[in-house]
Amino acid sequence: MRQAGRSLPEYRALRERHSILEMCRTPELATEVTLQPVRRLGVDAAILFSDIVVPLQGMGVDLDIEPGRGPVIAQPVRSSSDVARLTPLDPAGDAGYVLDAVKMLVSELDIPLIGFAGAPFTLASYLIEGGPSRDHARTKALMFSEPEVWGQLMQRLSDAVSVYLRAQVEAGASAIQLFDSWVGSLSPIDYELYVAPWVTSIFDGLDDLGISRIHFGVVTGELLQPMHATGCDVMGVDWRVPMDQARARLGEDVPLQGNLDPAILLAPWEVVAQRATDVLDRTGGQKHIFNLGHGVLPQTDPGQLARLVEHIHAFQP
Ligand code: CP3
């Protein structure tokens, strides 16, 4: 349950004193905020506290994360020379604090730690737009009109993501998740042309590590098949596609992750319980990692989250 921390008073207390990026850059703080929801909720895995834009800083990008808005890039990337300024990522040298946090966490946790990275399209969108975007218009304009520059950018980003994910696994992460949060803005045809080759190379490059590779994006109902075909092991599903339909689209053998609408947690408990059971009924609890369909909303009552975890653990197919 990503961003579960945001709903916790102990997280907010730390946030009063530190920015998000400061917490990402300080292994002790990143470790503490990763552990906070684990202590409270009884979940079966932890997700590393960091952000998808952290490795971009290591590639020389000047950026910030604005509360309530998201990542903001000082000088957006819009030309071949902007792309050329992105330096290759050396995980140990440029993001060693992330690896230190992974190591600290692995020594403290008795459940698996999931490492993660943003996928090239989603990172490219932040770099090109300069911040969050509704329609990703500049991103798509560059992609359609300057495919060579697009290819150079995707190549640099996938090289960085590949070494970054490998380094997290070598530091002790048990699984990785690739977040292509905003790729649902593309058609399946354009996904195949402008995204799939690079994502495929990322998953291929992790093959020898023998860990589970989870792949997720929002509004990706029409992309579930091409996204899965890039070589991930588990397909994340947002709440817009019922799990039985996701299974029908991908086949019985593909493990799925998802997909309760995070907003349902704002309803009375009876509604949460009924909807969570419905999600489980649609997969029979088989080859299914129960999760929310996207991140926890900040106004969520942590008590509801803890109760949800208990409810899922009590499920009998
Ligand atoms: O779940 C976790 O807490 C683990 C750490 C984590 C963060 N960001 C910390 C964070 C993870 C896995 C991410 C991934 C991330 N970041 C994604 C991909 C996943 C997804 O949600 O689709 C994306 C697109 C981002 C970019 C980003 N960073 C956004 C959109 C925001 C939210 C802005 C807002 O306030 O609404 C952030 C900030 C951010 N990153 C927060 C956290 C816990 C909110 C922090 C706060 O306000 O204190």
Side-chain angles (χ1 to χ4, degrees):
M1 293 196 283
R2 207 182 62 66
Q3 297 193 354
R6 270 214 284 187
S7 65
L8 306 182
E10 58 269 32
Y11 173 82
R12 295 214 196 96
L14 274 178
R15 272 285 281 119
E16 276 175 26
R17 288 186 282 133
H18 308 280
S19 71
I20 302 165
L21 286 174
E22 218 173 282
M23 301 207 303
C24 294
R25 271 197 296 264
T26 314
E28 292 74 18
L29 289 175
T31 299
E32 171 57 22
V33 287
T34 301
L35 293 174
Q36 283 176 345
V38 173
R39 288 188 198 113
R40 276 228 199 197
L41 304 179
V43 283
D44 303 306
I47 178 128
L48 171 70
F49 184 89
S50 187
D51 196 85
I52 57 166
V53 295
V54 164
L56 297 179
Q57 280 194 313
M59 299 173 76
V61 177
D62 180 5
L63 60 87
D64 201 1
I65 298 180
E66 283 182 18
R69 180 153 181 243
V72 183
I73 312 293
Q75 290 172 312
V77 171
R78 292 184 185 156
S79 67
S80 181
S81 59
D82 293 338
V83 174
R85 273 198 293 275
L86 298 172
T87 57
L89 183 76
D90 162 25
D94 298 324
Y97 45 85
V98 176
L99 307 178
D100 289 343
V102 170
K103 287 177 200 151
M104 289 169 78
L105 279 161
V106 170
S107 75
E108 291 205 29
L109 283 166
D110 47 18
I111 52 173
L113 177 71
I114 306 173
F116 73 91
F121 177 88
T122 292
L123 295 176
S125 164
Y126 281 114
L127 288 175
I128 296 166
E129 306 288 339
S133 162
R134 193 181 291 259
D135 53 17
H136 308 277
R138 281 180 187 274
T139 309
K140 291 193 197 180
L142 187 130
M143 187 178 92
F144 291 129
S145 52
E146 296 185 75
E148 271 181 31
V149 178
W150 177 257
Q152 290 158 4
L153 176 58
M154 292 296 273
Q155 190 60 49
R156 282 194 189 227
L157 292 171
S158 7
D159 289 346
V161 168
S162 298
V163 291
Y164 184 58
L165 287 172
R166 174 170 286 273
Q168 291 179 52
V169 174
E170 284 168 354
S174 303
I176 60 92
Q177 178 149 350
L178 190 68
F179 286 106
D180 215 346
S181 302
W182 314 136
V183 80
S185 67
L186 296 185
S187 71
I189 294 161
D190 292 324
Y191 182 84
E192 295 283 11
L193 279 174
Y194 298 107
V195 177
W198 288 279
V199 174
T200 304
S201 77
I202 293 171
F203 286 134
D204 272 359
L206 299 170
D207 212 29
D208 62 303
L209 294 172
I211 44 104
S212 289
R213 297 157 293 186
I214 310 167
H215 195 186
F216 172 79
V218 184
V219 206
T220 47
E222 297 302 326
L223 298 182
L224 288 175
Q225 285 159 312
M227 284 178 78
H228 177 252
T230 57
C232 60
D233 303 293
V234 178
M235 200 56 225
V237 184
D238 86 351
W239 68 89
R240 294 168 181 88
V241 183
M243 288 302 251
D244 49 337
Q245 285 186 31
R247 182 135 285 168
R249 288 178 197 186
L250 291 168
E252 293 295 319
D253 292 334
V254 176
L256 303 176
Q257 175 175 280
N259 78 342
L260 188 72
D261 182 346
I264 286 178
L265 285 155
L266 308 177
W269 169 249
E270 293 63 36
V271 178
V272 180
Q274 186 243 321
R275 294 301 203 92
T277 302
D278 178 65
V279 169
L280 288 164
D281 283 341
R282 288 173 191 274
T283 61
Q286 299 301 308
K287 297 203 176 219
H288 178 192
I289 301 169
F290 183 90
N291 200 343
L292 303 185
H294 204 193
V296 174
L297 297 168
Q299 63 272 45
T300 306
D301 168 6
Q304 293 269 81
L305 291 172
R307 222 170 151 181
L308 175 61
V309 175
E310 271 178 46
H311 183 77
I312 301 307
H313 283 157
F315 176 75
Q316 305 280 352

